């Protein structure tokens, strides 16, 4: 009596059995197949044996250092190769399409962590098929890499070879935690700031505003600030302020979410410095635009249009 055909769910063996079989058949060696698939020779041998048990036929004639296909193995290989090659082609196409849906954005550390990151969850909910690849760096050269589709940098709007659109200007004012303000009520007095715990940023950008620059612009004598502490990135200085370590300089728009959540407060409401610089969205016109890039670009410009306005 002929064997009963297996149930539909049991007809196909696991894919890894077929991959091991294909690799061993092409290499005519379990040892070589193990190198191709980066698994042990024992694992190759086991998967082939399980495949033979699945079909209940021998697929290889085992030699001392090599293997050769049986007639049944040769028949199976012809179909397996064709099917796996088709699957590989489809996978390559799908991966290529997925890459086309990826938009690379480079931004300064401060913009990436304080302005973009709080917005990404909302964007992802509305644009599930678009993947944003975010590079955070304070190196202008890295942000302007050819690999970037869009870049956000601080400056005057003039980057030769790039189209620049203003996202927001630069307005700077003191910020601290509510707890720090409670324990240091003199923080509401502009002239008392140099005697308090001022949080500095040690930036390689010479134009980056320091406490000495900010106080000078507000007519406050820059006496020695003995209680000042310094961090090498702006996000760290903001986190230090949130943690109650002192008073940081807050860049409008970057610290807005923290002001709205009351994690930070402005101890002196009317005191600020407005510069001629701003944060710009850059795009190289030599890069061919694609739909996903335009969607992300429009989203960023939409965030800009809806921003709070500072005098």
């Amino acid at each position: 009596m002929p064997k009963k055909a297996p149930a539909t769910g049991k007809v196909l063996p696991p894919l890894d059995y077929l991959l091991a079989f294909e690799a061993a058949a092409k290499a005519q060696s379990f040892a070589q197949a193990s190198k191709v698939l980066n698994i042990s020779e024992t694992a190759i041998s086991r998967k082939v044996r399980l495949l033979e048990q699945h079909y209940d036929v021998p697929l290889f004639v085992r030699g001392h250092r090599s293997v050769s296909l049986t007639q049944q193995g040769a028949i199976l290989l012809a179909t397996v190769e064709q099917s796996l090659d088709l699957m590989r082609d489809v996978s390559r196409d799908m991966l290529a399409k997925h890459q086309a849906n990826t938009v690379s954005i480079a931004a300064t550390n401060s913009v990436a962590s304080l302005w973009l990151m709080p917005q990404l969850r909302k964007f992802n909910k509305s644009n599930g098929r678009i993947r944003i690849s975010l590079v955070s760096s304070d190196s202008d050269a890295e942000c302007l890499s050819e690999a970037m589709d869009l870049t956000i940098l601080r400056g005057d709007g003039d980057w030769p070879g790039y189209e620049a659109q203003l996202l927001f200007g630069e307005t700077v004012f003191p910020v601290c935690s509510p707890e720090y303000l409670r324990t240091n009520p003199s923080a509401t007095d502009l002239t008392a700031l140099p005697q308090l715990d001022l949080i500095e940023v040690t930036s390689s950008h010479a134009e980056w505003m320091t406490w000495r620059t900010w106080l000078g612009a507000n007519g406050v004598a820059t006496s020695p600030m003995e209680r000042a502490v310094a961090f090498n990135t702006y996000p760290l200085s903001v986190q230090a302020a949130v943690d109650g370590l002192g008073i940081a300089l807050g860049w409008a728009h970057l610290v807005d979410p923290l002001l709205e959540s009351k994690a930070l407060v402005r101890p002196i409401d009317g005191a600020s410095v407005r510069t001629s610089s701003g944060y710009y969205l850059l795009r190289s016109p030599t890069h061919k635009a694609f739909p996903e890039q335009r969607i992300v670009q429009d989203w960023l410009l939409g965030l800009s249009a809806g921003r709070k306005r500072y005098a």
Side-chain angles (χ1 to χ4, degrees), residues 103-113 116 133-155 159-163 204-205 279-284 287:
V103 180
S104 299
I105 305 177
T108 61
N109 286 323
S110 53
V111 170
S113 61
L116 272 179
S133 174
L134 180 58
V135 172
S136 172
S137 174
D138 283 337
S139 163
D140 287 3
E142 186 174 0
C143 288
L144 293 172
S145 161
E146 284 290 318
M148 296 300 115
D149 297 312
L150 298 168
T151 297
I152 301 174
L153 286 180
R154 175 187 178 276
W159 282 270
Y162 286 86
E163 295 173 355
S204 59
H205 291 266
Y279 287 82
Y280 288 82
L281 179 63
L282 309 179
R283 187 185 76 82
S284 171
H287 279 206

Coordinates of all heavy atoms in Angstrom, one line a residue, residues 103-113 116 133-155 159-163 204-205 279-284 287:
V103 N 14.8 58.2 5.4 CA 15.2 59.6 5.2 C 16.3 59.8 6.2 O 16.0 59.7 7.4 CB 14.1 60.6 5.3 CG1 14.6 62.0 5.1 CG2 13.0 60.3 4.3
S104 N 17.5 60.2 5.8 CA 18.6 60.5 6.7 C 18.6 61.9 7.1 O 18.7 62.8 6.2 CB 19.9 60.1 6.1 OG 19.9 58.7 5.8
I105 N 18.6 62.2 8.4 CA 18.6 63.6 8.9 C 19.9 63.7 9.8 O 20.0 62.9 10.7 CB 17.4 64.0 9.7 CG1 16.1 63.8 8.9 CG2 17.5 65.4 10.1 CD1 14.8 64.1 9.6
A106 N 20.7 64.7 9.6 CA 21.8 65.1 10.5 C 21.4 66.3 11.2 O 20.9 67.3 10.6 CB 23.1 65.2 9.8
A107 N 21.7 66.4 12.5 CA 21.4 67.6 13.3 C 22.4 67.7 14.4 O 23.0 66.7 14.8 CB 20.0 67.5 13.9
T108 N 22.6 68.9 15.0 CA 23.4 69.1 16.1 C 22.9 68.3 17.3 O 21.7 67.9 17.3 CB 23.5 70.6 16.5 OG1 22.2 71.0 16.9 CG2 24.0 71.4 15.4
N109 N 23.8 68.0 18.2 CA 23.3 67.2 19.4 C 22.1 67.8 20.1 O 21.2 67.2 20.5 CB 24.5 67.1 20.4 CG 25.5 66.1 19.9 OD1 25.2 65.1 19.3 ND2 26.8 66.4 20.2
S110 N 22.2 69.2 20.2 CA 21.1 69.9 20.9 C 19.8 69.7 20.2 O 18.7 69.4 20.8 CB 21.5 71.3 21.1 OG 21.8 71.9 19.9
V111 N 19.8 70.0 18.9 CA 18.5 69.9 18.1 C 18.0 68.5 18.0 O 16.8 68.2 18.2 CB 18.8 70.4 16.7 CG1 17.6 70.1 15.8 CG2 19.0 71.9 16.7
A112 N 18.9 67.5 17.8 CA 18.5 66.1 17.7 C 17.8 65.6 19.0 O 16.8 65.0 19.0 CB 19.7 65.2 17.4
S113 N 18.4 65.9 20.2 CA 17.9 65.3 21.4 C 16.8 66.2 22.0 O 15.9 65.6 22.6 CB 19.0 65.2 22.4 OG 19.6 66.4 22.7
L116 N 14.1 67.4 18.0 CA 13.6 66.4 17.2 C 13.0 65.2 17.9 O 11.9 64.7 17.6 CB 14.7 65.9 16.2 CG 14.8 66.7 14.9 CD1 15.9 66.1 14.1 CD2 13.5 66.7 14.1
S133 N 16.3 58.1 9.8 CA 17.6 57.7 10.3 C 18.3 59.0 10.8 O 18.6 59.9 10.0 CB 18.5 57.1 9.2 OG 19.8 56.8 9.7
L134 N 18.4 59.2 12.1 CA 18.9 60.4 12.7 C 20.4 60.3 13.1 O 20.7 59.4 13.9 CB 18.0 60.8 13.9 CG 18.3 62.1 14.7 CD1 18.3 63.3 13.7 CD2 17.4 62.2 15.8
V135 N 21.2 61.2 12.6 CA 22.6 61.3 13.0 C 22.8 62.6 13.9 O 22.4 63.7 13.4 CB 23.5 61.4 11.8 CG1 24.9 61.7 12.2 CG2 23.4 60.1 11.0
S136 N 23.3 62.4 15.1 CA 23.5 63.5 16.0 C 24.9 63.8 16.1 O 25.7 63.0 16.5 CB 22.9 63.2 17.4 OG 23.2 64.1 18.3
S137 N 25.3 65.1 15.8 CA 26.8 65.4 15.8 C 26.9 66.9 15.9 O 26.2 67.7 15.2 CB 27.5 64.9 14.6 OG 28.8 65.3 14.5
D138 N 27.9 67.4 16.6 CA 28.3 68.8 16.6 C 29.4 69.1 15.6 O 30.0 70.2 15.6 CB 28.7 69.2 18.0 CG 27.5 69.4 18.9 OD1 26.4 69.6 18.4 OD2 27.6 69.3 20.2
S139 N 29.7 68.1 14.7 CA 30.7 68.4 13.7 C 29.9 68.8 12.4 O 29.1 68.0 11.9 CB 31.5 67.1 13.4 OG 32.1 67.2 12.2
D140 N 30.1 70.0 11.9 CA 29.5 70.5 10.7 C 29.8 69.6 9.5 O 28.9 69.3 8.7 CB 29.9 71.9 10.4 CG 29.2 72.9 11.3 OD1 28.5 72.5 12.3 OD2 29.5 74.1 11.2
A141 N 31.0 69.1 9.5 CA 31.5 68.3 8.3 C 30.7 67.0 8.3 O 30.3 66.5 7.3 CB 33.0 68.0 8.4
E142 N 30.5 66.4 9.5 CA 29.7 65.1 9.6 C 28.2 65.3 9.2 O 27.6 64.5 8.5 CB 29.8 64.5 11.0 CG 29.2 63.1 11.1 CD 29.4 62.5 12.4 OE1 30.1 63.1 13.3 OE2 29.0 61.4 12.6
C143 N 27.7 66.4 9.7 CA 26.3 66.7 9.4 C 26.1 67.0 7.9 O 25.0 66.8 7.4 CB 25.8 67.9 10.2 SG 25.6 67.6 12.0
L144 N 27.1 67.6 7.2 CA 27.0 67.9 5.8 C 27.5 66.8 4.9 O 27.7 67.0 3.7 CB 27.7 69.2 5.5 CG 27.1 70.5 6.2 CD1 28.0 71.7 6.0 CD2 25.7 70.8 5.6
S145 N 27.6 65.6 5.4 CA 28.0 64.4 4.7 C 27.1 64.2 3.5 O 25.9 64.5 3.5 CB 28.0 63.2 5.6 OG 28.0 62.0 4.8
E146 N 27.6 63.7 2.4 CA 26.9 63.4 1.2 C 25.8 62.4 1.5 O 24.8 62.3 0.7 CB 27.8 62.8 0.1 CG 28.7 63.9 -0.6 CD 27.8 64.8 -1.5 OE1 27.0 64.3 -2.2 OE2 28.1 66.0 -1.4
A147 N 25.9 61.6 2.5 CA 24.9 60.5 2.8 C 23.7 61.1 3.4 O 22.6 60.4 3.5 CB 25.6 59.5 3.8
M148 N 23.7 62.4 3.8 CA 22.5 63.0 4.5 C 21.5 63.5 3.5 O 21.9 64.2 2.6 CB 22.9 64.1 5.5 CG 23.8 63.6 6.6 SD 23.0 62.4 7.7 CE 24.0 60.9 7.4
D149 N 20.2 63.2 3.7 CA 19.2 63.8 2.9 C 18.8 65.2 3.3 O 18.5 66.1 2.5 CB 17.9 62.9 2.9 CG 18.2 61.5 2.3 OD1 18.8 61.4 1.3 OD2 17.8 60.5 3.0
L150 N 18.8 65.4 4.6 CA 18.5 66.7 5.2 C 19.4 67.0 6.4 O 19.8 66.0 7.1 CB 17.0 66.7 5.7 CG 15.9 66.5 4.7 CD1 14.6 66.3 5.3 CD2 15.8 67.7 3.7
T151 N 19.7 68.2 6.6 CA 20.6 68.6 7.7 C 20.0 69.8 8.5 O 19.5 70.7 7.8 CB 22.0 68.9 7.2 OG1 22.5 67.8 6.6 CG2 22.9 69.4 8.3
I152 N 20.2 69.9 9.8 CA 19.8 71.0 10.6 C 21.0 71.6 11.3 O 21.6 70.8 12.1 CB 18.7 70.7 11.6 CG1 17.4 70.1 10.9 CG2 18.3 71.9 12.4 CD1 16.4 69.6 11.8
L153 N 21.4 72.8 11.0 CA 22.6 73.4 11.6 C 22.3 74.8 12.0 O 21.3 75.5 11.5 CB 23.7 73.5 10.6 CG 24.5 72.2 10.2 CD1 25.6 72.4 9.2 CD2 25.0 71.5 11.5
R154 N 23.1 75.3 13.0 CA 23.0 76.6 13.5 C 23.9 77.5 12.6 O 25.1 77.1 12.3 CB 23.4 76.7 14.9 CG 23.5 78.1 15.5 CD 24.1 78.0 16.9 NE 24.2 79.4 17.5 CZ 25.2 80.2 17.3 NH1 26.2 79.8 16.5 NH2 25.2 81.4 17.8
G155 N 23.5 78.7 12.2 CA 24.3 79.6 11.5 C 23.5 80.8 11.0 O 22.5 81.1 11.5
W159 N 25.1 78.7 3.5 CA 25.9 77.5 3.3 C 26.1 77.2 1.8 O 25.1 76.8 1.1 CB 25.3 76.2 3.9 CG 25.4 76.1 5.4 CD1 26.4 75.5 6.1 CD2 24.5 76.7 6.4 NE1 26.2 75.7 7.5 CE2 25.1 76.3 7.7 CE3 23.3 77.4 6.4 CZ2 24.5 76.7 8.9 CZ3 22.7 77.8 7.5 CH2 23.3 77.4 8.8
P160 N 27.2 77.6 1.2 CA 27.4 77.5 -0.2 C 27.0 76.0 -0.7 O 27.5 75.1 -0.1 CB 28.9 77.8 -0.4 CG 29.2 78.6 0.7 CD 28.4 78.1 1.9
G161 N 26.2 76.0 -1.7 CA 25.9 74.7 -2.3 C 24.7 74.0 -1.7 O 24.3 72.9 -2.0
Y162 N 24.0 74.7 -0.7 CA 22.8 74.2 0.0 C 21.7 75.2 -0.1 O 21.9 76.4 0.0 CB 23.1 73.9 1.4 CG 24.0 72.6 1.6 CD1 25.4 72.7 1.5 CD2 23.4 71.4 1.8 CE1 26.2 71.6 1.7 CE2 24.2 70.3 1.9 CZ 25.6 70.4 1.9 OH 26.4 69.2 2.0
E163 N 20.5 74.6 -0.2 CA 19.3 75.4 0.0 C 19.0 75.5 1.5 O 19.0 74.4 2.2 CB 18.1 74.8 -0.7 CG 18.3 74.8 -2.2 CD 17.1 74.0 -2.9 OE1 16.3 73.4 -2.2 OE2 17.1 74.0 -4.2
S204 N 33.3 73.6 21.0 CA 34.4 73.9 20.0 C 34.0 75.1 19.1 O 34.8 75.6 18.4 CB 34.7 72.7 19.2 OG 33.6 72.2 18.5
H205 N 32.7 75.4 19.0 CA 32.2 76.5 18.2 C 32.5 77.8 18.9 O 31.8 78.1 20.0 CB 30.8 76.3 17.8 CG 30.5 75.2 16.9 ND1 30.4 75.3 15.6 CD2 30.3 73.9 17.2 CE1 30.2 74.1 15.0 NE2 30.1 73.2 16.0
Y279 N 18.6 78.4 13.4 CA 18.7 77.0 13.0 C 18.0 76.8 11.7 O 16.8 77.1 11.6 CB 18.1 76.1 14.1 CG 19.0 76.1 15.4 CD1 19.0 77.1 16.3 CD2 20.0 75.1 15.5 CE1 19.8 77.1 17.4 CE2 20.8 75.1 16.7 CZ 20.7 76.1 17.6 OH 21.6 76.2 18.7
Y280 N 18.7 76.2 10.8 CA 18.3 76.1 9.4 C 18.2 74.7 8.9 O 19.0 73.8 9.3 CB 19.2 76.9 8.4 CG 19.1 78.4 8.6 CD1 19.8 79.0 9.6 CD2 18.4 79.1 7.7 CE1 19.7 80.4 9.7 CE2 18.3 80.5 7.8 CZ 19.0 81.2 8.8 OH 18.9 82.5 9.0
L281 N 17.2 74.4 8.1 CA 17.0 73.1 7.4 C 17.7 73.2 6.1 O 17.4 74.1 5.2 CB 15.6 72.8 7.2 CG 15.2 71.5 6.5 CD1 15.7 70.3 7.3 CD2 13.7 71.4 6.2
L282 N 18.7 72.3 5.9 CA 19.6 72.4 4.7 C 19.3 71.2 3.8 O 19.1 70.1 4.3 CB 21.0 72.4 5.0 CG 21.5 73.5 6.0 CD1 23.0 73.3 6.3 CD2 21.1 74.9 5.5
R283 N 19.3 71.4 2.5 CA 19.2 70.4 1.5 C 20.1 70.7 0.3 O 20.1 71.8 -0.2 CB 17.7 70.2 1.0 CG 17.5 69.0 0.2 CD 16.1 68.9 -0.4 NE 15.9 69.9 -1.5 CZ 16.2 69.7 -2.7 NH1 16.8 68.5 -3.1 NH2 16.0 70.6 -3.7
S284 N 20.8 69.7 -0.1 CA 21.7 69.9 -1.3 C 20.8 69.7 -2.6 O 20.2 68.7 -2.8 CB 22.8 68.8 -1.3 OG 23.5 68.9 -2.5
H287 N 21.2 66.5 -4.7 CA 20.6 65.3 -4.3 C 19.2 65.2 -5.0 O 18.4 66.1 -4.8 CB 20.5 65.2 -2.8 CG 21.8 64.8 -2.2 ND1 21.8 64.1 -1.0 CD2 23.1 64.9 -2.6 CE1 23.0 63.9 -0.6 NE2 23.8 64.3 -1.6

